[in-house]
Amino acid sequence: MKMEIRVLFWNVENFVGGEDRTEAVKRHIQEFDPDVFCLCEIKDKVAMRSLLMDKLIDYDFGLTDGQQRIELLAGWRKGKFQQVLFTQRREFKANQNQLRPGSLLTAKINEKWFNFLFLHTDSGVKIKDYRNRQEMFEKIWSMKSILDDISTTPESYFAILGDYNTMGRSQIGQYPKITGQEEINDLKHDASDKNMTLLDKTEETTLAWGRNSSGNYRLSNLDHVIVSNNLDLIDFEKDDGSKFPAEVSGWVNITDEDERVNFIENISDHCSVRIKISLQG
């Protein structure tokens, strides 16, 4: 048994299948060989079954069931864990029926329980969008307190991976503008107050969208990982020797322009984010 847990989150952008795209998604997942993964924006359940049952047969899985039919799919490696519990967390819908539930995977290994929460928060820069995200973030901290209370260890092992949609907020009337980076900074501060860390990543940019007048994609930093400080993470090392606790992978790593555009347009405009948790010690 490996002495680590490899975890991946990826927004696969309105996934409806197709043989080429399904094969590309499978290859991207298998490249990292995760023990736990979540795919966000599963739009077609037939395509999901084709991906999981025909191509990723080494995993069991659970799927959220929301009203807008863009779901989160969580998978976990068969035989890796002593026990696994998958639950939908509807409190993360922030009282909005169109939003996705959270996906909570609780897995036992080496007599310890690890909690993985996967989120796809509300997008947009309007006041209601921003407020919904802040409410969802507050529910992370509440869940952390609950998990700590029931943990068999001094503090729960908790990781939250997702498309946090940290877009900031537009200026409207008396409400000043909040940039995406300011929202990220606030999130980092709030996590620190809860004995958690918003992780630095190998790449800040995770989304390429809507080309500008020069033909270049607009870039955003939306996909993040927060972990409890008691998790022992294994760093990812870049070619320049720098090390980071979370890795971004996808179009951002592709140097050939045509291949990069193909990835963005035909596979996903989001990159995946992933972590490795050491089980030693």
Side-chain angles (χ1 to χ4, degrees):
M1 180 179 292
K2 295 180 180 179
M3 297 303 291
E4 63 186 37
I5 305 174
R6 303 161 70 92
V7 188
L8 175 148
F9 172 89
W10 190 16
N11 183 335
V12 288
E13 187 201 0
N14 289 319
F15 185 76
V16 293
E19 182 59 31
D20 290 345
R21 190 180 186 194
T22 301
E23 182 66 21
V25 169
K26 181 202 76 168
R27 287 197 305 269
H28 186 84
I29 294 171
Q30 290 181 333
E31 175 189 349
F32 184 61
D33 193 27
D35 301 300
V36 174
F37 70 88
C38 179
L39 299 180
C40 173
E41 291 201 18
I42 299 293
K43 196 170 184 178
D44 187 302
K45 293 181 181 180
V46 173
M48 176 274 298
R49 286 194 292 269
S50 173
L51 176 65
L52 280 228
M53 295 180 180
D54 298 336
K55 297 184 181 298
L56 295 172
I57 61 175
D58 294 331
Y59 296 91
D60 289 319
F61 59 92
L63 184 71
T64 61
D65 186 20
Q67 293 186 16
Q68 73 157 16
R69 296 181 299 173
I70 299 180
E71 306 301 341
L72 281 75
L73 182 150
W76 56 96
R77 189 185 303 279
K78 295 176 181 179
K80 173 76 175 187
F81 302 101
Q82 296 165 271
Q83 191 172 351
V84 174
L85 175 65
F86 169 81
T87 56
Q88 296 188 81
R89 305 302 306 204
R90 296 190 181 277
E91 66 266 35
F92 288 96
K93 291 168 66 68
N95 297 316
Q96 302 293 322
N97 287 333
Q98 80 276 10
L99 297 181
R100 283 70 50 185
S103 175
L104 180 65
L105 188 68
T106 301
K108 184 180 182 182
I109 188 170
N110 290 3
E111 302 303 323
K112 295 179 181 178
W113 289 97
F114 292 85
N115 304 280
F116 304 103
L117 176 64
F118 302 107
L119 289 179
H120 185 193
T121 72
D122 202 358
S123 64
V125 295
K126 295 180 179 179
I127 290 176
K128 70 175 183 64
D129 307 322
Y130 178 80
R131 285 177 174 171
N132 283 342
R133 286 198 297 276
Q134 299 311 302
E135 183 176 338
M136 294 169 116
F137 297 152
E138 286 296 327
K139 285 177 168 53
I140 293 176
W141 321 135
S142 297
M143 180 175 286
K144 172 68 161 53
S145 297
I146 293 170
L147 291 173
D148 287 349
D149 287 342
I150 65 175
S151 177
T152 57
T153 53
E155 187 178 0
S156 61
Y157 298 103
F158 192 23
I160 307 95
L161 297 87
D163 180 355
Y164 287 28
N165 274 315
T166 43
M167 302 176 179
R169 184 187 67 193
S170 296
Q171 179 178 0
I172 302 178
Q174 63 179 327
Y175 297 98
K177 179 179 180 178
I178 296 175
T179 67
Q181 187 56 55
E182 287 172 333
E183 185 174 358
I184 292 170
N185 292 342
D186 289 343
L187 186 58
K188 184 179 296 186
H189 178 271
D190 292 343
S192 179
D193 283 346
K194 301 298 181 180
N195 201 28
M196 304 187 78
T197 300
L198 177 67
L199 298 183
D200 292 330
K201 308 186 296 282
T202 54
E203 305 287 344
E204 286 193 355
T205 299
T206 63
L207 171 69
W209 58 283
R211 298 199 194 204
N212 59 27
S213 58
S214 301
N216 298 318
Y217 287 101
R218 296 175 174 89
L219 305 178
S220 297
N221 184 10
L222 303 186
D223 303 271
H224 303 280
V225 184
I226 293 174
V227 299
S228 55
N229 290 341
N230 60 344
L231 282 180
D232 184 12
L233 300 180
I234 301 170
D235 285 336
F236 296 88
E237 185 171 355
K238 298 183 68 172
D239 292 340
D240 63 5
S242 58
K243 296 181 179 180
F244 297 85
E247 183 180 52
V248 173
S249 183
W251 57 260
V252 74
N253 311 116
I254 301 174
T255 56
D256 182 86
E257 182 64 22
D258 290 339
E259 291 182 10
R260 175 183 282 209
V261 169
N262 178 67
F263 194 104
I264 294 170
E265 298 291 339
N266 298 313
I267 302 174
S268 179
D269 53 5
H270 281 260
C271 290
S272 64
V273 290
R274 42 210 199 182
I275 60 173
K276 294 185 290 188
I277 301 169
S278 175
L279 296 175
Q280 302 183 44

